Amino acid sequence: MRRGDDTLAFSRDFRLLLSAGLSVREALRSMADDPTGRHRTIAADVHEKVHSGRSLSKALEDVPSISRVLVAMVGAGETTGNVPSSIGRYVTYAERIGEARRRLAAALIYPAILLIVGLGVLGFILLFLVPRLAGVYASLNRDLPPVSRQLFMAGGWIASHPVESLLIAVALAALAFWMFATRAGRRAIVRIMTSIPWIDVRLRGVILGRLYRTLGMLTQSGIPLRQALAVAGPVTGFLLGDAIPASERDLLKGRGIATTLSANGLATVSTEPILSIGERAGDIGAAFERVADYLEERTAQELDLGLRIAEPVLGLLMSLAVGALLLLMYMPIIEISGGMI
């Protein structure tokens, strides 16, 4: 389970017990004693630390699977004396972030299926049909069109080197698994994707929307901006991660919030004026929320439009690729048939 999902599930259960009137210790003890509870181990560990005199936020900070954002929110709740309310705000925030992630994932399902099916068909043609037809054409001892000849030479190599071909296929499968299953692999995918300007802009919009949503919640809970930036930094991933420390340094020098975020690539031409107005009005937290709303809505619309265009284009490209391979495979038969007439 992802850290954010694990934290959200824990927070929901914890908030429900606190809202029912249980104290922090009682709620944690109840979760730890529940034989069907999903977070018995975490609750027992946190309860032990709280029982020994540590604050709830410090106890949660020692749990690796708990988000630092929740830790900061609980710390703010302890300062104001309203921990249940702070956890409730975190739950609302995490549910909103999760819903945006699920919408994006759902929108990508059809293009992903289309791509996988297309690649599967191409792989079947190249690995099974081409090698078999290569042997047939070799037995005819006829001159083939140049492009078809190259295709069937590759097919003949696959047929005559099954072990090497299998090793290559396994290596490609291992590479695909590494790219999708590991953090380094996913970073490589992101770097490849962001080399396309249109995708880079939209992906940054998604990340900035998440960043501002986090900053808005934290600052409106009374957490200082520099501390909020440090807590919210991980939500930007590696793509914008370097901008967070730079922004903290600039704020420490006394520079304005809007100017600092814009100079470090964390604000756009469209969002900087919103931040400036909020900064002048002394309500930067609300400004962060408005920027998050704006970025999320605009990015969702642009991604929806992009996917509507990409789906038929991807289908057309896959059809052309399969059609071209089939044409190259059967072009010699067409020429032989024409020569017999």
Side-chain angles (χ1 to χ4, degrees):
M1 182 180 289
R2 300 162 64 104
R3 172 188 281 194
D5 295 336
D6 197 40
T7 303
L8 175 58
F10 173 82
S11 301
R12 280 175 177 156
D13 294 346
F14 194 30
R15 180 190 62 170
L16 287 173
L17 294 173
L18 292 176
S19 300
L22 276 69
S23 67
V24 169
R25 290 186 184 180
E26 290 171 338
L28 290 170
R29 185 72 269 166
S30 176
M31 294 173 68
D33 292 341
D34 185 356
T36 62
R38 294 170 293 176
H39 308 290
R40 295 177 59 194
T41 303
I42 293 176
D45 182 37
V46 175
H47 177 270
E48 183 180 348
K49 289 182 171 63
V50 171
H51 186 70
S52 66
R54 300 190 67 181
S55 66
L56 178 60
S57 59
K58 293 297 183 183
L60 289 172
E61 191 174 7
D62 292 337
V63 181
S65 60
I66 294 296
S67 167
R68 302 304 94 182
V69 177
L70 175 61
V71 173
M73 288 298 295
V74 170
E78 290 171 336
T79 301
T80 60
N82 197 349
V83 171
S85 177
S86 294
I87 296 177
R89 292 194 66 183
Y90 172 82
V91 169
T92 301
Y93 151 83
E95 287 176 340
R96 189 162 186 172
I97 294 292
E99 179 61 27
R101 186 189 299 122
R102 285 189 292 272
R103 285 200 305 269
L104 178 61
L108 293 174
I109 287 176
Y110 178 73
I113 292 175
L114 188 63
L115 183 62
I116 291 171
V117 171
L119 292 176
V121 172
L122 290 173
F124 175 77
I125 292 174
L126 290 171
L127 296 176
F128 293 96
L129 294 184
V130 171
R132 282 158 178 76
L133 282 176
V136 173
Y137 289 134
S139 66
L140 295 176
N141 197 23
R142 297 284 297 262
D143 288 335
L144 302 178
V147 181
S148 297
R149 186 185 310 119
Q150 296 299 321
L151 176 64
F152 288 118
M153 284 178 61
W157 187 91
I158 292 173
S160 60
H161 298 80
V163 176
E164 292 86 343
S165 301
L166 179 61
L167 289 175
I168 292 173
V170 170
L172 291 174
L175 176 62
F177 177 81
W178 174 80
M179 294 189 72
F180 286 98
T182 66
R183 177 176 295 182
R186 290 192 292 270
R187 287 190 174 190
I189 293 174
V190 170
R191 289 192 183 96
I192 293 171
M193 292 176 62
T194 52
S195 63
I196 303 173
W198 189 90
I199 295 179
D200 181 54
V201 172
R202 274 73 201 175
L203 184 58
R204 288 176 183 271
V206 171
I207 295 173
L208 286 176
R210 190 178 302 173
L211 171 66
Y212 281 112
R213 182 70 61 198
T214 308
L215 288 175
M217 178 189 66
L218 293 172
T219 53
Q220 287 184 319
S221 299
I223 297 173
L225 179 56
R226 285 186 57 236
Q227 182 184 347
L229 274 172
V231 172
V235 307
T236 63
F238 74 95
L239 196 60
L240 297 175
D242 293 340
I244 301 297
S247 297
E248 293 181 55
R249 290 192 295 269
D250 288 347
L251 289 173
L252 189 60
K253 295 175 182 177
R255 295 179 181 174
I257 298 172
T259 303
T260 293
L261 296 178
S262 178
N264 290 290
L266 297 177
T268 64
V269 175
S270 302
T271 59
E272 186 178 359
I274 302 175
L275 296 173
S276 298
I277 293 172
E279 187 176 5
R280 289 197 298 270
D283 194 5
I284 194 63
F288 287 149
E289 293 281 358
R290 286 192 290 271
V291 169
D293 290 337
Y294 168 76
L295 289 173
E296 288 173 357
E297 182 177 354
R298 189 191 69 178
T299 304
Q301 292 174 350
E302 291 175 343
L303 286 174
D304 181 65
L305 176 61
L307 288 171
R308 287 178 185 272
I309 296 173
E311 287 173 5
V313 170
L314 184 59
L316 177 62
L317 291 175
M318 286 297 173
S319 299
L320 289 175
V322 172
L325 273 178
L326 292 175
L327 180 62
L328 290 173
M329 287 168 56
Y330 292 103
M331 187 183 297
I333 294 178
I334 298 172
E335 292 188 357
I336 293 172
S337 300
M340 297 173 60
I341 297 176

